């Protein structure tokens, strides 16, 4: 969000946006366990799946070079995707450091759509935060339903089910997955969700957790998607991305 705004305001010509997460000290694992954030028995992250009882931490690094579209076209760059809207909201009042706020998550998603000048019906996929926690997954769907409830069928996925929760690099991991899906015109399966979490009323929403590799249909409009990233302290980010 910050990188996009710096480019729009002309404060810089290019931005390297990304994140790094390395587990170099046991404190990371101890503190997350004490806060009941990580799973104490699961070997996989079951984003939106039955048995989700906590996340699992992983290591990773990623980055993306951001430029204004006109500059990238002028320079003949290989353009992977276009960021059309971004928004960020803090946690607001809540019941604890690790307790998400559905209202503020919804605010970030709603503001990102408005920033892109799009409606919920323009979005066909959402790369979710999907941390696989008992509390976080249902709250995230509640927030998305508030914003995208009038949309048509929207596929959901979470890269955390593949590579674990990368903390500071979780956002760039989801962004990378989304860009690869746009490049290949396919939606990858979100793993370990064969049986959905019964605490989430998916039947009353336009959302479906994508469980098999499938083609991403191309219509007259570009393929468009949302991506959510949530900081442990409650910073909520949403971004709208479309294929070039």
């Amino acid at each position: 969000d910050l990188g996009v705004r710096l480019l729009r305001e002309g404060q810089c010509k290019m931005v390297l946006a990304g994140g790094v997460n390395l587990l170099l000290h046991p404190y990371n694992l101890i503190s997350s366990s004490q806060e009941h954030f990580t799973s104490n028995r699961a070997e996989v992250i079951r984003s939106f799946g039955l048995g989700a009882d906590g996340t699992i931490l992983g290591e990773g690094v990623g980055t993306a070079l951001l430029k204004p579209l006109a500059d990238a076209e002028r320079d003949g760059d290989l353009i992977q995707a276009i960021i059309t809207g971004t928004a960020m909201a803090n946690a607001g009042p809540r019941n604890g450091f690790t307790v998400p706020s559905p209202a503020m998550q919804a605010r970030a998603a709603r503001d990102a759509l408005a920033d892109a000048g799009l409606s919920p019906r323009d979005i066909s996929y959402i790369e979710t935060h999907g941390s696989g926690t008992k509390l976080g997954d249902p709250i995230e769907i509640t927030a998305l339903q508030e914003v995208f409830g009038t949309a048509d069928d929207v596929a959901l996925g979470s890269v955390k089910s593949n590579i674990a929760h990368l903390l500071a690099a979780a956002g760039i991991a989801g962004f990378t997955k989304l860009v690869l899906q746009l490049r290949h015109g396919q939606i990858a399966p979100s793993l370990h969700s064969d049986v959905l979490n019964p605490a989430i009323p998916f039947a009353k929403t336009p959302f479906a957790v994508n469980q098999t590799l499938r083609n991403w249909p191309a219509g007259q409009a570009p393929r468009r998607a949302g991506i959510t990233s949530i900081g442990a302290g409650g910073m909520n980010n949403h971004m709208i991305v479309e294929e070039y």
Side-chain angles (χ1 to χ4, degrees), residues 71-83:
D71 292 355
E73 291 176 329
R74 179 201 63 207
D75 297 339
D77 294 332
L78 175 61
I79 302 171
Q80 300 285 356
I82 304 172
I83 299 171

Side-chain angles (χ1 to χ4, degrees), residues 39-58:
S39 171
N40 62 3
R41 57 190 175 89
E43 296 181 352
V44 296
I45 293 182
R46 304 184 183 279
S47 304
F48 309 112
L50 178 67
D53 72 338
T55 199
I56 298 171
L57 304 187

Side-chain angles (χ1 to χ4, degrees), residues 1 4-5 8 81-88 106-127 144 147-148 175 178-179 182 216 222-229 237-243:
D1 180 76
V4 170
R5 296 189 185 282
R8 286 177 175 176
I82 304 172
I83 299 171
T84 59
T86 65
M88 182 166 57
R107 177 177 175 177
R110 187 181 299 109
D111 289 351
L113 273 177
D115 188 44
L118 297 172
S119 77
R121 292 183 176 273
D122 295 315
I123 305 301
S124 54
Y125 174 80
I126 297 175
E127 176 64 22
L144 291 175
V147 179
F148 295 94
F175 181 80
L178 176 54
V179 168
L182 290 170
W216 191 341
R223 297 179 179 93
R224 296 189 178 103
I227 176 170
T228 294
S229 187
N237 293 270
H238 198 85
M239 180 180 291
I240 306 298
V241 180
E242 70 178 42
E243 66 181 342

Side-chain angles (χ1 to χ4, degrees), residues 44-50 160-162 190-195:
V44 296
I45 293 182
R46 304 184 183 279
S47 304
F48 309 112
L50 178 67
K160 292 179 180 65
S161 68
N162 300 85
S190 197
L191 305 181
H192 317 304
S193 61
D194 294 342
V195 180

